[in-house]
Amino acid sequence: MAGNITLEVVTPDNAVVSEEAQIVMAPGEYGEFGVLIGHTSFLTTLKVGNLRYRDKAGSERVVFVSGGFAEVLPKKVTILAESAERRKDIDIERAKDAMKRAEERLAAKGREEDTDFLRAQAALQRAISRIGVVQGQGGA
Ligand code: ATP
């Protein structure tokens, strides 16, 4: 089937993306998956990472997502994430500060079953991923 698929990326605070895309690549819990118009419907969880898509003009776009859910329908992909930012909206200094804080907490803790340790690990993952979105190749 030819044509574009509608992409919506929604957080509790924001509609981060609402546009047509030629293709969407999302960081599924079990690996990255690609969606074109006409895809079979499914629902899956996402891990922290980059959502990539080609907009209707053919430009590559990258959006950080902090995990969440994806609902794929034949004409629409909806991403529900706790936080998400387009590449141009990521504050790199904030992400570097978050990375440093998380590394300091991990160095001070060292007990994997500790809640703070797990929180710091998750924060570190988000920070590394945001920095990767900004520093990686690809569109806005
Ligand atoms: P921080 O410790 O810097 O708050 P975090 O990973 O704990 O980072 P989140 O809980 O994922 O932050 O997000 C909280 C809010 O702040 C969300 O609205 C998210 O979009 C925004 N946000 C977090 N980090 C950044 C960043 N580096 N650039 C832009 N927005 C950010």
Side-chain angles (χ1 to χ4, degrees), residues 1-2 4 13 18 22 33 36 41 48 51 54-55 58 72-73 78 81 90-91 102 106 122-123 130 132 136 139:
M1 204 190 301
N4 296 326
D13 305 323
S18 177
Q22 295 178 8
F33 61 86
L36 296 166
S41 301
V48 174
L51 176 89
R54 196 178 310 135
D55 71 15
V72 176
L73 299 173
T78 306
I90 294 175
D91 178 340
L106 290 174
R130 284 182 169 114

Side-chain angles (χ1 to χ4, degrees), residues 68-101:
F69 300 91
E71 181 194 47
V72 176
L73 299 173
K75 292 182 179 175
K76 186 173 180 182
V77 184
T78 306
I79 307 291
L80 302 173
E82 196 53 46
S83 56
E85 300 106 42
R86 286 179 180 270
R87 184 174 188 235
K88 66 178 172 55
D89 294 325
I90 294 175
D91 178 340
I92 182 89
E93 292 309 320
R94 177 173 170 175
K96 284 181 179 169
D97 286 349
M99 183 168 83
K100 193 155 168 274
R101 269 197 316 276

Side-chain angles (χ1 to χ4, degrees), residues 1 9 39 47:
M1 204 190 301
V9 180
H39 202 289
K47 57 186 180 188

